């Protein structure tokens, strides 16, 4: 997937979108969602969107997400999708557990259910295939290349 495909797959005005970056910068490629979020924030196509760096605790940002009254919330995280490191894709909700999109305190499905009981909204998941999520490692070259290629 590239930026053009990503942008075209979102059929809602930017001001109705909240992008939520997940990850732990101390765990190698687990930080990929945070890197992606920072790059996305600099894209003119999404100037009016909201960006939240939730890191490892999306549950701590629920009210901040709801405050924006989004039509779409996009969670971005490292995800084990069986792809090559650095590849990115939308993750079907039925595959969330298999993709292990969240190494975080709360199950991401619980976070989604809470948000949807507060407001009607669509929730999507965007994954970046990690090479390693070992504690103390930097983001891998493969994931950095994938991010650079995605946004170029």
């Amino acid at each position: 997937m590239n930026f053009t495909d990503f942008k075209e797959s979102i059929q809602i005005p930017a001001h109705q979108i909240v992008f939520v970056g997940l990850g732990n910068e101390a765990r190698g490629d687990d930080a990929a969602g945070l890197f992606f979020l920072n790059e996305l924030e600099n894209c003119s196509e999404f100037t009016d969107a909201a960006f939240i760096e939730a890191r490892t605790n999306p549950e701590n940002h629920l009210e901040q997400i709801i405050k924006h009254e989004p039509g779409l919330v996009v969670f971005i995280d490292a995800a084990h999708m069986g792809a090559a490191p650095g590849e990115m894709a939308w993750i079907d909700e039925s595959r969330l557990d298999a993709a292990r999109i969240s190494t975080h305190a709360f199950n991401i499905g619980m976070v989604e259910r809470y948000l949807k009981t507060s407001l009607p909204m669509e929730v999507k998941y965007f994954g970046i295939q990690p090479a390693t999520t070992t504690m103390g490692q930097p983001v891998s070259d493969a994931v950095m290349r994938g991010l650079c290629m995605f946004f170029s």
Side-chain angles (χ1 to χ4, degrees):
M1 175 172 281
N2 60 36
F3 181 73
T4 301
D5 296 336
F6 177 84
K7 177 179 62 173
E8 289 174 358
S9 66
I10 297 175
Q11 300 296 312
I12 190 166
H15 72 276
Q16 295 178 5
I17 305 170
V18 175
F19 291 105
V20 182
L22 303 174
N24 182 341
E25 291 174 315
R27 296 184 64 95
D29 294 339
D30 192 47
L34 302 174
F35 278 85
F36 187 95
L37 183 76
N38 288 331
E39 289 294 322
L40 193 60
E41 198 166 3
N42 294 318
C43 296
S44 60
E45 293 86 348
F46 295 111
T47 301
D48 295 331
F51 298 87
I52 298 172
E53 229 179 73
R55 299 185 180 270
T56 59
N57 300 99
E59 67 278 4
N60 291 346
H61 300 273
L62 297 172
E63 294 308 313
Q64 184 181 4
I65 294 168
I66 292 166
K67 178 188 78 163
H68 289 287
E69 298 182 1
L72 171 65
V73 176
V74 178
F75 289 102
I76 306 159
D77 198 4
H80 297 276
M81 305 176 292
E87 286 190 25
M88 298 169 216
W90 291 106
I91 300 171
D92 185 84
E93 189 176 333
S94 66
R95 293 192 21 84
L96 284 179
D97 288 337
R100 292 181 279 150
I101 192 168
S102 187
T103 57
H104 316 290
F106 279 79
N107 174 290
I108 199 72
M110 288 175 58
V111 170
E112 177 182 348
R113 284 188 293 281
Y114 178 84
L115 290 171
K116 285 183 170 181
T117 60
S118 301
L119 287 172
M121 67 181 70
E122 183 181 4
V123 176
K124 293 179 105 176
Y125 301 92
F126 191 75
I128 303 154
Q129 176 67 49
T132 180
T133 55
T134 303
M135 184 65 82
Q137 294 297 307
V139 175
S140 70
D141 289 343
V143 167
M144 290 306 287
R145 272 192 309 276
L147 289 167
C148 288
M149 286 175 41
F150 185 90
F151 287 102
S152 62

